[in-house]
Amino acid sequence: DMAIILLAAGHSRRFGTVNKLLAQLDGKPLISHVAATLLALPNASRIAVIGSDIDPDLLPGFETVVPNAKNPLQSDSLKAALAVALEKQPDGVLLCLGDMPLIPQSHYEKLLAYWDGPATLAVTRMKQRLMPPALFGKNWFSALMQLEGDQGARALLSDAEHRISLAEALAVDIDTIIDLQRLRLFQT
């Protein structure tokens, strides 16, 4: 079995005073778009690491965890979610970001299809950039738990054997209000 980890505990510093994951897109919070897509994936436990300002009710079907650190770094959030996931003894984890609402279910399915055992590392490639979502087999769990700082799992992605292309138009990462406004304009 796989564990799906939704990373949604960022500080949204560049977005302003509101948590970007609660900003509205098509009448619902940004995080709800990603969560709905991930809920459609079969045979997986789902864990979301969230900030204290996100209502767990926005994430039905997900076990939620709030990092202990007062100002958690990406590595703190990842470790908090991974600790919960490891209790379920998964064969691998699919790391996903809460601020990328356009990634289709088919892309997550392609990543999962590259599963070939405990050494699996399948990542998303947009042009020359390697990024989440990414699938890590259990041989990678120790390295994930040792990460430090505010870079998350990015340091490990260059080791990926499988690099699954994602169109630039779908790799939209919402970091600022302008990013969200552009996305709204693009969708109309």
Side-chain angles (χ1 to χ4, degrees):
D1 253 8
M2 295 293 146
I4 295 172
I5 294 178
L6 176 57
L7 298 171
H11 300 296
S12 302
R13 288 186 186 102
R14 291 182 284 167
F15 198 80
T17 58
V18 189
N19 185 326
K20 66 183 176 183
L21 298 176
L22 298 175
Q24 295 290 305
L25 177 64
D26 295 335
K28 60 183 184 178
L30 191 62
I31 192 171
S32 297
H33 292 270
V34 179
T37 302
L38 296 176
L39 270 177
L41 298 173
N43 303 325
S45 53
R46 291 166 185 80
I47 298 103
V49 59
I50 58 174
S52 58
D53 56 344
I54 294 181
D55 183 349
D57 290 342
L58 289 175
L59 301 164
F62 283 82
E63 183 175 345
T64 57
V65 59
V66 177
N68 285 333
K70 183 174 180 164
N71 290 305
L73 301 173
Q74 285 184 26
S75 59
D76 298 322
S77 296
L78 175 58
K79 289 178 195 178
L82 195 57
V84 172
L86 294 183
E87 292 172 6
K88 299 162 189 345
Q89 299 182 337
D91 295 316
V93 294
L94 180 64
L95 296 183
C96 309
L97 302 179
D99 61 358
M100 297 184 77
L102 299 185
I103 296 179
Q105 180 180 339
S106 60
H107 183 73
Y108 295 112
E109 289 169 344
K110 284 178 193 171
L111 285 164
L112 291 168
Y114 275 95
W115 173 257
D116 62 2
T120 299
L121 178 49
V123 303
T124 299
R125 180 176 55 81
M126 191 274 296
K127 294 187 175 182
Q128 300 306 312
R129 185 174 158 215
L130 301 179
M131 56 196 267
L135 177 65
F136 292 86
K138 63 182 172 184
N139 288 3
W140 291 95
F141 294 172
S142 176
L144 288 168
M145 288 301 281
Q146 291 174 32
L147 291 171
E148 298 290 334
D150 215 20
Q151 291 300 308
R154 187 171 297 145
L156 304 175
L157 300 183
S158 61
D159 292 333
E161 181 180 346
H162 308 293
R163 298 174 180 199
I164 295 85
S165 293
L166 181 67
E168 186 174 4
L170 299 176
V172 175
D173 182 357
I174 306 298
D175 286 325
T176 66
I177 291 174
I178 292 170
D179 293 337
L180 184 60
Q181 290 169 340
R182 280 189 196 127
L183 180 57
R184 287 176 180 153
L185 288 173
F186 176 76
Q187 289 185 312
T188 55

